[in-house]
Amino acid sequence: MNYKNRAVVLGANYYIGLSIIRSLGRKGVKVTAIDYTKEDSYGSRSKYLDEHLIAPHYGREPERFLEFLINYSKNQDYKPVLFPSSDPYVEFIDKYFYELKEYYLFPMDRKGFWSEVMDKYTMSLLAQKFNVKVPETINSKEENLVERVREEIGYPCIIKPMDSASFVRKYRNKVFIIEKEEELIEKVKMCHNDDFEILIQRIIPGPESNCYCYDAYLNQESKVTHWTTAYKIRQWPINFGASTYAKQKYIPELHDICKPFLEGIKFKGFSEIELKRDEKTGVIYLIEVNVRIINFNEMLYNCGLNFPYITYMEMTDKLPEPKSVEEDLGYTFLYMYEDLFAVKEYLKTGQMSLSKIIKDISFKNVASTWSFSDPKPALYFMSRVALKVFNKLTKSQ
């Protein structure tokens, strides 16, 4: 098939961008990746990448980055399809929605809606509107915060940011675990001083395997056309991080919860909803919503759901035939680099035993970065890690 429109991937310096490149390139789509630096951009080494460009930084020079993207599109015969590989790029697209919509194709048709769904507080309001349960949550700016947390949530609890991307960049954590009132007061004050809007939320009890994912594509009529489900086995940071080891598994309850919610809010394009089952009550709670391609995209690809290509086709021609994976295929996703840290921490805290970790080993692993047919990105990534370790060791001597 002759694909006229290019795909433009924002960010090839992480394995999500690499996975988008591979998912499209394998089908023969011409892919351009745009980064702000060549350093650590291991996705740009993929044989499936047709073009790699360096642009101004999206955060430090947003107007210049916008101008770069517009000028790039103007030089194309057909509108490119735009793919953000991380939340900061999503926020950038939302901010300059109308300017980019004129020159690029992407599924969402409402300015600011992606950010509204990613925002933990507005997401919880949307969930409640459609009768989807969310953990008990209190805005940190509410009056009598300490008393309310004590009476309504209890300890331990977590502090969650409304804007995860900037919070993680600042603190290197997705959440803060709070064990007592003194910690709550200290951390809330710190976050407020740094101008972060935060929530205090109940921790849903249960092991990592109670953390579920519903991955779906919604067409331009906001109807779910493609979907599957999965669960986490390990994540980093442990308990409140991104999947380092996950497995596809058919969990029909998730479809019953998530499909009406996504269709009800009129979502369009790819979305992943993260949920967790309370081990004490069995109730499933919505935790957060991702609005861009996620970290175990390669596993979804192996399950027969090529979400980047589905997006590309609906934007440029016609949506592929609907498909759902309503069986257990046995595929697992492994991000070995961070999973090593996760395994060490699970063993250290006693949350997992060595026998359980061995029992969870699968022979249908899908690696985050390594590919026999496209080895250069992984080799470059490993060389960069080795260099950083070497520099750290030599500096410490």
Side-chain angles (χ1 to χ4, degrees):
M1 184 173 177
N2 182 24
Y3 301 102
K4 297 178 180 179
N5 306 70
R6 278 186 170 271
V8 172
V9 178
L10 301 181
N13 59 342
Y14 196 51
Y15 64 85
I16 295 176
L18 170 62
S19 179
I20 298 171
I21 291 166
R22 285 172 170 168
S23 296
L24 296 166
R26 290 172 183 138
K27 303 295 288 189
V29 177
K30 295 289 186 182
V31 184
T32 297
I34 298 178
D35 283 304
Y36 53 83
T37 177
K38 288 185 178 180
E39 188 178 1
D40 292 333
S41 181
Y42 54 91
S44 66
R45 271 69 184 176
S46 174
K47 73 176 186 180
Y48 296 107
L49 186 65
D50 184 61
E51 183 179 38
H52 185 226
L53 304 174
I54 303 301
H57 193 282
Y58 60 87
R60 294 192 292 266
E61 299 178 285
E63 297 291 339
R64 287 190 61 214
F65 183 49
L66 175 65
E67 182 182 12
F68 183 95
L69 291 177
I70 290 174
N71 288 336
Y72 178 81
S73 180
K74 284 180 177 179
N75 289 322
Q76 306 303 310
D77 293 329
Y78 301 90
K79 273 188 180 184
V81 184
L82 192 60
F83 291 88
S85 67
S86 64
D87 290 346
Y89 285 120
V90 171
E91 292 168 350
F92 178 87
I93 294 172
D94 251 1
K95 182 177 180 180
Y96 297 101
F97 181 87
Y98 295 117
E99 294 91 334
L100 290 168
K101 200 69 172 175
E102 184 177 350
Y103 294 97
Y104 286 88
L105 302 171
F106 48 92
M108 190 46 63
D109 61 351
R110 283 180 282 171
K111 177 179 172 63
F113 187 67
W114 271 340
S115 297
E116 182 181 348
V117 174
M118 287 196 306
D119 182 284
K120 303 299 185 295
Y121 183 65
T122 54
M123 179 274 295
S124 67
L125 296 179
L126 287 170
Q128 291 170 24
K129 182 179 177 181
F130 289 92
N131 299 315
V132 177
K133 292 188 177 297
V134 294
E136 291 83 347
T137 304
I138 301 173
N139 191 306
S140 65
K141 294 182 179 178
E142 293 282 342
E143 293 183 6
N144 305 316
L145 177 66
V146 175
E147 291 79 7
R148 287 194 61 189
V149 170
R150 184 193 311 126
E151 295 172 4
E152 299 174 28
I153 294 180
Y155 296 93
C157 58
I158 56 173
I159 288 178
K160 293 180 70 172
M162 295 188 190
D163 177 4
S164 291
S166 56
F167 188 90
V168 171
R169 285 197 299 270
K170 175 70 175 179
Y171 301 125
R172 300 299 177 188
N173 281 295
K174 288 188 72 174
V175 302
F176 289 134
I177 302 174
I178 306 300
E179 300 285 350
K180 52 188 178 180
E181 287 186 1
E182 291 80 3
E183 288 182 48
L184 175 68
I185 295 168
E186 175 192 344
K187 285 291 194 290
V188 167
K189 182 179 179 181
M190 179 185 73
C191 293
H192 286 175
N193 287 340
D194 290 331
D195 294 324
F196 284 107
E197 295 186 71
I198 54 172
L199 307 168
I200 291 79
Q201 192 172 83
R202 179 170 76 92
I203 295 175
I204 304 301
E208 306 292 59
S209 57
N210 280 24
C211 297
Y212 304 143
C213 299
Y214 177 79
D215 298 279
Y217 188 86
L218 287 88
N219 64 16
Q220 289 299 290
E221 285 73 50
S222 295
K223 299 298 181 184
V224 171
T225 58
H226 299 74
W227 63 275
T228 191
T229 55
Y231 71 98
K232 296 182 180 183
I233 298 174
R234 294 188 290 271
Q235 52 189 335
W236 181 254
I238 65 170
N239 307 133
F240 300 100
S243 301
T244 59
Y245 196 46
K247 188 171 188 176
Q248 181 273 330
K249 180 179 177 63
Y250 177 45
I251 309 170
E253 293 168 274
L254 304 189
H255 188 59
D256 297 336
I257 295 169
C258 299
K259 179 179 182 289
F261 171 67
L262 289 172
E263 293 183 347
I265 65 175
K266 305 298 182 185
F267 195 89
K268 293 176 171 63
F270 174 80
S271 176
E272 179 190 75
I273 297 182
E274 295 190 21
L275 312 99
K276 188 171 183 180
R277 186 191 298 274
D278 188 319
E279 68 175 352
K280 296 179 180 178
T281 65
V283 175
I284 297 176
Y285 291 86
L286 188 155
I287 303 299
E288 67 179 20
V289 181
N290 293 307
V291 301
R292 40 86 188 149
I293 299 300
I294 43 84
N295 58 347
F296 52 70
N297 181 59
E298 282 291 296
M299 180 180 74
L300 300 178
Y301 175 90
N302 276 264
C303 292
L305 291 170
N306 187 340
F307 284 111
Y309 183 68
I310 292 166
T311 305
Y312 178 91
M313 288 303 295
E314 188 185 27
M315 292 294 96
T316 61
D317 186 15
K318 62 180 180 179
L319 188 71
E321 286 296 312
K323 180 175 182 177
S324 58
V325 181
E326 300 179 47
E327 60 180 317
D328 299 344
L329 299 181
Y331 285 107
T332 55
F333 161 82
L334 175 64
Y335 180 31
M336 184 176 290
Y337 175 64
E338 287 191 347
D339 195 52
L340 293 172
F341 297 109
V343 166
K344 180 182 177 182
E345 196 66 18
Y346 285 121
L347 291 172
K348 180 181 176 182
T349 59
Q351 293 185 45
M352 291 186 185
S353 64
L354 184 59
S355 60
K356 173 177 172 23
I357 290 169
I358 294 172
K359 183 180 178 181
D360 285 333
I361 292 175
S362 167
F363 295 100
K364 295 185 75 174
N365 279 339
V366 179
S368 63
T369 309
W370 175 255
S371 169
F372 282 104
S373 62
D374 186 30
K376 287 185 178 180
L379 294 175
Y380 181 78
F381 174 74
M382 289 186 286
S383 71
R384 295 295 300 175
V385 171
L387 180 61
K388 289 177 181 178
V389 172
F390 175 79
N391 289 338
K392 187 175 181 179
L393 291 174
T394 53
K395 284 181 181 179
S396 64
Q397 292 178 355

